Amino acid sequence: MSVKVEQFPFPFTEDRYAYSNNSSLLKPARSITITDHYLKEIQLKRELLQANHKRCFRSLPISLESQWEAMRRIFAELAQSESEHFSLEKRGNEYRFQNHLLGEEERFTYRDSSSIELQPLDIAGRHVQEDLIIMGDRHDGLFLEAGQLCFPSNWSLTFVLGMEFKSIHTPVPGIDQNDFISKVERFISRIRLNEAWERKNWSMTISNMLDTPLETYANWGKLRLKVTDKNVGEMVHLRVEVQRLLRLPMTNDILFSIHTYLLSLNDLIQNDLWLKRLYTTIQFLSDDIAEYKGIALYKNELIQFLEKTLNEKGLSL
Ligand code: HEM
């Protein structure tokens, strides 16, 4: 689903792309954003959860406390920041969350698993567009201990469940150059209670498909072969993940939320600065990163399309 241009979080602040810890502190601390696509994306999420629950939700028993904390935190955040659409009432340990956009409510007794039918993170994720991950902060590193993941960019929750932060990132080419990923892990371990940080990650997707897990690669990966110089603008979408890291104060674990946005190149090129930045970024992208992001197969068509558009608009770099 492509988002409206005004709501699109364009990721490039410079003309060349290099891995960086482009995180900034968020005040107030937030994990969640509601966009105009809320209803459509929630419906899609629920269909995916219904059809492929094991692919979209996984957890280790150790994550249960953090899941409770994350659910309560997300519901409280929604009730506070979007009070016309959500509310949260509390009497002792009894909670009632109301979602007026969906006409639904969730009632639960805090930390009492017999009061709910699904695990807490699985409930919370059904009310927000974000994918939600719990990273347990243990003495020997950060471990992926639970996740509700419906819109992954070519990765598998089943594969990474229980893995440590650095091992999760092993498939990314060059990510440990200059000790990058270890520095990122140290940065995360220093995030303070209730603090939230935000960064953007980007990739490209053919068509406006949000659900591109590793498990169904055979269905969507081959679309890359269908890109031609005629259909580039319509088929290729810039995919941006707004990722937020929040330290949960009771368990000291990290809630990692991922909000995925897609914008077709035809829409993106309406903005001259975005067009120029995307062009230079793609032009100088190293071969291994282009390969990793799946762009290598249609990189020529992409560059020709962007050059042609720059010329038509009379824009110089
Ligand atoms: C703590 C929560 C995080 C989790 C669970 C996570 C997980 C992942 C996963 C599963 C991938 C895809 C790996 C694959 O191809 O199999 C990935 C890619 C990546 N991650 Fe993370 N990550 C986290 C935080 C971060 C942070 C804070 C940074 C940097 C500051 C970062 C930098 C990257 C980069 C650069 C890539 C490659 C993405 C691309 O080029 O498309 N990650 N991450």
Side-chain angles (χ1 to χ4, degrees):
M1 278 163 217
S2 298
V3 79
K4 277 190 189 156
V5 177
E6 314 84 72
Q7 290 185 330
F8 189 70
F10 189 73
F12 307 121
T13 47
E14 289 170 40
D15 289 336
R16 304 216 181 168
Y17 175 67
Y19 296 140
S20 68
N21 183 2
N22 51 352
S23 305
S24 53
L25 186 62
L26 270 185
K27 282 194 180 167
R30 294 255 166 89
S31 315
I32 305 300
T33 301
I34 306 288
T35 72
D36 293 352
H37 284 236
Y38 181 79
L39 293 176
K40 272 196 248 165
E41 290 182 9
I42 296 297
Q43 189 188 346
L44 174 59
K45 248 191 173 194
R46 303 239 180 139
E47 286 165 11
L48 289 164
L49 284 158
Q50 174 73 28
N52 315 283
H53 193 253
K54 272 198 157 169
R55 191 180 86 205
C56 299
F57 181 79
R58 289 277 171 154
S59 69
L60 299 179
I62 196 175
S63 67
L64 202 56
E65 283 294 317
S66 310
Q67 289 195 48
W68 276 109
E69 208 186 346
M71 176 170 79
R72 188 171 64 174
R73 158 86 209 191
I74 288 168
F75 288 167
E77 192 183 310
L78 287 172
Q80 198 188 17
S81 62
E82 304 276 345
S83 53
E84 70 280 31
H85 301 313
F86 306 95
S87 57
L88 183 65
E89 287 162 33
K90 175 180 184 308
R91 276 198 193 89
N93 271 340
E94 306 295 322
Y95 284 82
R96 178 180 179 221
F97 170 72
Q98 285 180 291
N99 181 331
H100 306 294
L101 288 171
L102 298 174
E104 291 180 3
E105 69 172 27
E106 306 287 355
R107 285 173 184 266
F108 55 91
T109 311
Y110 194 60
R111 295 177 70 217
D112 175 357
S113 290
S114 69
S115 69
I116 50 177
E117 283 175 14
L118 297 166
Q119 291 187 34
L121 198 70
D122 201 5
I123 297 176
R126 288 164 196 254
H127 292 274
V128 298
Q129 290 158 273
E130 281 77 5
D131 286 318
L132 302 173
I133 303 287
I134 299 282
M135 297 298 288
D137 197 338
R138 308 283 157 240
H139 69 278
D140 49 351
L142 287 167
F143 293 82
L144 196 151
E145 294 179 348
Q148 193 200 65
L149 183 77
C150 294
F151 305 144
S153 178
N154 198 16
W155 57 288
S156 158
L157 191 55
T158 308
F159 185 69
V160 297
L161 185 68
M163 261 194 201
E164 207 275 329
F165 184 77
K166 278 200 275 296
S167 312
I168 293 174
H169 287 88
T170 320
V172 184
I175 196 134
D176 214 14
Q177 262 171 27
N178 305 321
D179 225 12
F180 174 74
I181 206 67
S182 308
K183 286 180 191 152
V184 173
E185 186 162 28
R186 281 200 291 280
F187 154 75
I188 298 175
S189 68
R190 287 193 298 262
I191 293 179
R192 287 187 259 186
L193 304 184
N194 285 319
E195 223 176 56
W197 289 76
E198 177 182 291
R199 69 180 291 269
K200 297 186 187 86
N201 201 32
W202 73 278
S203 186
M204 288 194 157
T205 300
I206 309 306
S207 88
N208 58 356
M209 199 184 276
L210 281 170
D211 54 321
T212 51
L214 189 60
E215 287 89 342
T216 61
Y217 180 83
N219 302 338
W220 56 266
K222 61 188 176 201
L223 294 176
R224 292 167 178 163
L225 296 164
K226 297 213 166 14
V227 177
T228 66
D229 53 351
K230 304 259 178 320
N231 66 21
V232 167
E234 187 192 329
M235 280 191 89
V236 178
H237 288 63
L238 184 60
R239 180 185 192 101
V240 177
E241 294 180 354
V242 175
Q243 306 179 337
R244 291 177 178 172
L245 296 151
L246 174 98
R247 172 83 60 195
L248 297 167
M250 305 304 288
T251 52
N252 201 41
D253 288 341
I254 294 284
L255 171 64
F256 181 61
S257 66
I258 312 167
H259 194 133
T260 304
Y261 297 79
L262 291 165
L263 188 69
S264 75
L265 294 196
N266 277 345
D267 286 336
L268 184 147
I269 59 173
Q270 305 305 322
N271 181 314
D272 293 350
L273 181 64
W274 292 2
L275 166 61
K276 286 193 209 177
R277 289 240 160 106
L278 180 65
Y279 174 68
T280 45
T281 302
I282 299 294
Q283 209 188 18
F284 293 112
L285 203 61
S286 69
D287 289 346
D288 55 353
I289 297 185
E291 188 67 46
Y292 171 72
K293 289 183 188 281
I295 299 170
L297 277 173
Y298 55 88
K299 190 173 165 195
N300 289 341
E301 287 80 359
L302 182 58
I303 290 194
Q304 278 163 20
F305 168 78
L306 296 171
E307 274 172 359
K308 189 167 137 270
T309 314
L310 282 165
N311 286 336
E312 281 168 6
K313 289 183 159 219
L315 294 171
S316 57
L317 296 172

